[in-house]
Amino acid sequence: MEGLINVLFIVFMPLSMLMTVIFQRVSVAYINKCMKSDGVYPPSWDKGLGGSGPFYVCAIFFKRGRIPTPLFDGHLVPKYARTIDKILAGIYLFSAIGFGITVVLIAYFDPY
């Protein structure tokens, strides 16, 4: 079991980090540019570190993520999401869930 957890960690940790950067630089930047043309500006609290990435992923895949809140107004995100943005968001979501499950498994099976 320890070998499987090590392999999952080696796969999902770099994939999660890579997808955080790629999704933020490619998809979020494009969607923000398109949303600015409609007068909706990106969250003021996100200074380019990738904190708004999960909000964009939720807005692309889940209707509940499109409801405007004080933190994020995502009603236009699905309108401007291209096919590549949806693919990157899917890989980002898969890698984040996989990394989260791996961390839980590491904590559960830790012998110390």
Side-chain angles (χ1 to χ4, degrees):
M1 188 62 150
E2 185 177 331
L4 174 65
I5 293 173
N6 289 339
V7 169
L8 289 175
F9 187 75
I10 290 170
V11 169
F12 282 118
M13 186 181 134
L15 182 63
S16 182
M17 292 174 155
L18 181 68
M19 288 312 301
T20 299
V21 172
I22 290 175
F23 184 71
Q24 188 73 20
R25 299 293 178 194
V26 175
S27 300
V28 173
Y30 173 78
I31 293 170
N32 279 342
K33 186 174 74 170
C34 292
M35 285 176 36
K36 281 182 187 177
S37 66
D38 278 350
V40 178
Y41 291 92
S44 60
W45 50 266
D46 185 26
K47 301 299 180 196
L49 297 175
S52 63
F55 289 96
Y56 282 81
V57 170
C58 288
I60 288 172
F61 287 120
F62 310 113
K63 288 185 180 180
R64 189 173 180 92
R66 299 173 190 156
I67 299 171
T69 64
L71 282 178
F72 182 71
D73 185 11
H75 71 281
L76 290 176
V77 171
K79 176 181 176 184
Y80 293 118
R82 306 167 291 185
T83 304
I84 189 68
D85 300 330
K86 293 175 185 176
I87 291 170
L88 289 174
I91 298 170
Y92 179 85
L93 186 62
F94 172 74
S95 66
I97 290 171
F99 183 62
I101 290 171
T102 304
V103 169
V104 169
L105 288 174
I106 289 171
Y108 183 74
F109 289 110
D110 186 20
Y112 301 109

